[in-house]
Amino acid sequence: MARESLKIGIAGLGAVGLDVARRIEAGIPGLALAAISVRDVEKARRNLPQIGTRIPVLAADALAQSCDVVVECLPPAMFRNVASSVIEAAKIFMPLSVGQLLENWDFVARAKETGARILVPTGALIGLDAVRAAAEGTIRSVTIITRKPPNGLEGAPYLLERGISVVGLKAPLKVFDGTAREGARGFPANVNVAAALSLAGIGPDRTRLEIWADPGVDRNTHRIDVDADTARFSMSIENVPSENPRTGRIVPLSTIAMLRGLVSELKVGT
């Protein structure tokens, strides 16, 4: 018997949200784009003509009323409002601003009370399956080293507060060395990868993070080193930036893969 398609709402149609919307519209069995939330409806309609006719435009905090899953692709400042609406409606919340989840941890406890689920896509990383598996045992340490082209870090609060400039760099510059929690707070649009890694492993206060502004790279690169009682492993990935240099092109594909896993009869990996 055919199942009814899972209704997907997307909050924000930037580089990630638009790609996710287009891929769902192109046809993924079991998934239907039910609504979107945007500030500029005319721009959204130019990018996706079905918007405003077959695909309704709703306020971000109203998506959960007509959708089963809400994918959050918003500026960090808008995170709490949309997250709260989805959690209270006992729907599935899929945040891309994962670092904001660390700052709003009360939503996890509230989701347990309401029956909502919070599902975090792998995003720009690889190997979270291995980290999650190792976390079932004992992980001694996790380190992530992120290198980005300088323009992908411009405007980060941590840099502005300390007067650190990455303009015109001729050599790599380490701009941050601390915990994943501190990094997510200081670079809210840049290192959601570190937040996701910390949640899969030993938490945001034990996961170590280095961030480098590197004029010698043209891709967002991440290296992860994990030392556990069951395995010791290292992983690295070089992501092609999207039109938004802070985000890799693989992020929307990771989101689609997670959405597909909700409805597929075969799911590979933990």
Side-chain angles (χ1 to χ4, degrees), residues 72 76 79-80 83 93 95-108 118 120 144 176 179-188 191-207 209:
E72 177 272 325
F79 179 89
R80 188 166 183 89
F93 180 52
L96 285 242
S97 304
V98 190
Q100 292 303 302
L101 194 57
L102 304 183
E103 299 296 305
N104 296 276
W105 198 247
D106 56 302
F107 284 137
V108 177
I118 303 171
V120 177
I144 175 170
F176 178 83
T179 69
R181 185 186 299 279
E182 294 164 340
R185 189 173 293 150
F187 298 82
V191 291
N192 286 304
V193 290
L197 175 66
S198 73
L199 293 175
I202 55 177
D205 298 313
R206 293 180 58 202
T207 301
L209 168 66

Side-chain angles (χ1 to χ4, degrees), residues 106-129:
D106 56 302
F107 284 137
V108 177
R110 183 59 180 155
K112 186 174 182 179
E113 295 171 349
T114 66
R117 299 183 68 201
I118 303 171
L119 305 181
V120 177
T122 298
L125 290 185
I126 60 171
L128 286 193
D129 274 11

Side-chain angles (χ1 to χ4, degrees), residues 52-74:
T53 54
R54 185 172 55 78
I55 303 172
V57 178
L58 304 176
D61 58 3
L63 289 172
Q65 297 174 16
S66 57
C67 300
D68 304 306
V69 182
V70 175
V71 181
E72 177 272 325
C73 311
L74 295 169

Side-chain angles (χ1 to χ4, degrees), residues 213-231:
D214 191 341
V217 301
D218 58 5
R219 299 187 176 194
N220 300 328
T221 69
H222 310 285
R223 176 185 169 89
I224 302 166
D225 295 300
V226 178
D227 182 21
D229 62 342
T230 53

